[in-house]
Amino acid sequence: MQLGYVYKLKPNRQQEATMNKWLDMLISQYNYLLRDRNESYDQAKAPRLGNYCDLKSGGEACPLTCSVSKNYSVGYPWKNSHKNPRRSAYEAQSSSLPTLKKQRPWYKKINSTVLQQTLRQLDVAFSKFFKGETGYPRPKRRSRFRSFKYAPGQVKLNGDNIYLPGIGWMRFHNSRPIPDGFNIKSVTVRRKARGWFVSLQIEDKSIPTQSVKGKDEISPQKVKGCDLGINKLVSISSGKTIANPAKQKFFRRRERRLKLRQKAASRKKKGSKNRGKSYAEVASLHERITNKRTAYHWDVANQLVDGTDALVFEDLNIKAMKSRSLPKPNENGGYERNGQSAKKRCSAVLGRQCGLGGSPHEQLPWFPP
């Protein structure tokens, strides 16, 4: 069984400055290696004229016979293995880390496994792209690169203190202790609008995962049918309805406050400290709304699965329901009314409820099937 726990860190000023520097250096390394992969892919399609070499001997070669340039390749592509002497892209770029630390000594301050995990993150992004799960990896911005990871077995816990290699011991809010028998599998340190957080993925192999019930094991009395709505979030076949959180007073009050803060922040002078402080307040309010919605969703999911063997949902084509209506030309060369404005308004609400549209604080996740 695997579980995920999130704790809020309490770093001092020096530790916070160190983690911010790490993120700045890691994003530079991530984007540099991403550019190297892009250029290596481009030169494989169309070799560039320049200084080329033979991979086996390291000598000069003609670009017609070897399309690997000395100027666009990071890492050494071969390893001491008879079965598979060719290194993967991750292994080749990982072999360049010692050279990176010699050329840029400030990278020595970063823990070595943190640098390797950043390369692994880039490799996973390309693996998902080749599988068709995501789009092509793009360069990261500072606002989108906010975390770094540690390898298993490096982080230590001692009561309300946590040890992060390269940073030191740090206090954190131990909101819930880790159960006995669970071991730390991975550690992710993340910077958010309201501070620094650490995510621990723990695992206990002695506890088996719950198996899915077969068709013969499902009781008809414990099957619930769910219908997604607009005014009501979910309507259950038992007659119970679950309210839409967007209709509650708490979220409406926070949305009004968010609108006022966004207007106030947009009036500030660009590049000023007051503008940065105002948008920090906007980001903090976004995070509060997200946390409140997430807690509400888990509560609803708990209500749905409690005492239930199976859940049945409509097979809705949300993409088609949100798509634009086709225009209807008339005899005069114009177009007739097709009800697009009404459909757009209705589909926008449905998309926000299904997590397919709206701003980040409006998106809702799917319930587990």
Side-chain angles (χ1 to χ4, degrees):
M1 176 182 288
Q2 294 184 4
L3 299 175
Y5 283 8
V6 180
Y7 302 98
K8 186 174 182 179
L9 298 174
K10 296 190 287 186
N12 54 35
R13 292 185 177 180
Q14 183 178 1
Q15 292 173 339
E16 189 172 358
T18 301
M19 291 188 291
N20 285 323
K21 289 181 180 179
W22 281 22
L23 289 180
D24 292 340
M25 289 187 285
L26 290 174
I27 188 176
S28 300
Q29 182 68 4
Y30 181 93
N31 291 334
Y32 171 73
L33 296 178
L34 174 61
R35 187 186 67 178
D36 174 70
R37 288 207 181 191
N38 295 337
E39 292 176 346
S40 300
Y41 177 74
D42 291 338
Q43 72 179 2
K45 294 190 301 182
R48 298 185 178 93
L49 295 178
N51 193 10
Y52 290 82
C53 67
D54 187 4
L55 293 179
K56 294 183 179 180
S57 62
E60 300 295 331
C62 175
L64 298 178
T65 60
C66 179
S67 62
V68 178
S69 173
K70 292 181 180 179
N71 302 325
Y72 295 92
S73 180
V74 175
Y76 191 67
W78 303 104
K79 59 184 177 180
N80 297 327
S81 177
H82 298 286
K83 295 182 179 180
N84 189 13
R86 180 83 179 184
R87 281 177 173 169
S88 63
Y90 164 75
E91 294 173 345
Q93 291 183 340
S94 181
S95 65
S96 66
L97 293 181
T99 306
L100 171 68
K101 294 180 180 180
K102 291 180 181 179
Q103 297 177 350
R104 296 173 175 82
W106 52 89
Y107 273 89
K108 294 181 181 179
K109 300 180 181 179
I110 303 180
N111 186 266
S112 59
T113 58
V114 173
L115 279 171
Q116 293 175 357
Q117 292 298 323
T118 303
L119 301 185
R120 180 69 67 182
Q121 180 181 354
L122 177 62
D123 189 65
V124 170
F126 271 96
S127 299
K128 291 184 178 180
F129 164 72
F130 289 124
K131 292 179 181 178
E133 298 178 359
T134 58
Y136 192 82
R138 295 182 296 178
K140 296 287 187 181
R141 299 178 295 177
R142 286 188 176 181
S143 58
R144 301 297 298 272
F145 194 92
R146 297 185 176 184
S147 63
F148 56 89
K149 297 181 180 180
Y150 284 97
Q154 290 192 324
V155 177
K156 302 177 183 178
L157 294 177
N158 185 10
D160 296 341
N161 298 318
I162 183 172
Y163 176 74
L164 302 177
I167 300 175
W169 286 96
M170 186 186 307
R171 297 183 61 192
F172 71 99
H173 293 277
N174 193 1
S175 55
R176 52 177 178 174
I178 296 178
D180 296 335
F182 281 85
N183 299 321
I184 298 177
K185 189 176 181 181
S186 65
V187 178
T188 303
V189 180
R190 183 173 287 104
R191 182 181 62 190
K192 294 185 178 181
R194 300 178 61 197
W196 290 85
F197 294 81
V198 58
S199 301
L200 304 179
Q201 185 179 3
I202 58 179
E203 182 182 18
D204 188 358
K205 297 183 179 180
S206 61
I207 301 178
T209 57
Q210 296 182 356
S211 59
V212 180
K213 292 186 177 181
K215 296 182 179 180
D216 300 335
E217 301 176 354
I218 296 177
S219 175
Q221 290 77 17
K222 294 184 178 181
V223 177
K224 293 181 181 178
C226 303
D227 180 23
L228 298 178
I230 297 178
N231 295 326
K232 301 294 183 180
L233 183 63
V234 180
S235 298
I236 308 176
S237 57
S238 61
K240 182 180 178 181
T241 58
I242 299 177
N244 186 358
K247 304 294 183 180
Q248 295 182 0
K249 293 183 179 179
F250 171 81
F251 292 102
R252 288 186 175 181
R253 184 169 63 251
R254 290 297 174 93
E255 287 179 358
R256 288 195 296 267
R257 187 179 302 175
L258 179 63
K259 185 178 181 179
L260 294 175
R261 288 188 180 181
Q262 287 175 335
K263 284 185 177 181
S266 63
R267 297 192 186 101
K268 300 292 190 298
K269 183 179 179 181
K270 292 185 178 181
S272 63
K273 292 185 178 180
N274 289 334
R275 186 181 179 91
K277 293 178 181 179
S278 298
Y279 275 108
E281 294 179 356
V282 172
S284 178
L285 186 55
H286 270 297
E287 187 176 344
R288 288 178 180 272
I289 295 175
T290 302
N291 294 339
K292 194 71 176 180
R293 283 181 177 272
T294 302
Y296 185 82
H297 299 154
W298 281 110
D299 182 55
V300 172
N302 189 27
Q303 296 180 31
L304 293 176
V305 301
D306 188 17
T308 306
D309 289 345
L311 293 174
V312 181
F313 289 86
E314 288 182 291
D315 188 12
L316 298 177
N317 189 356
I318 303 296
K319 184 177 181 180
M321 296 173 66
K322 288 172 60 64
S323 62
R324 185 175 181 84
S325 300
L326 296 176
K328 298 179 179 180
N330 54 21
E331 299 177 355
N332 301 327
Y335 295 94
E336 298 180 355
R337 298 180 62 88
N338 57 0
Q340 171 60 30
S341 59
K343 180 178 180 180
K344 182 179 180 181
R345 181 172 63 253
C346 181
S347 61
V349 177
L350 181 61
R352 287 196 297 268
Q353 291 186 0
C354 298
L356 299 177
S359 59
H361 72 281
E362 293 177 330
Q363 295 183 3
L364 306 184
W366 285 97
F367 293 113

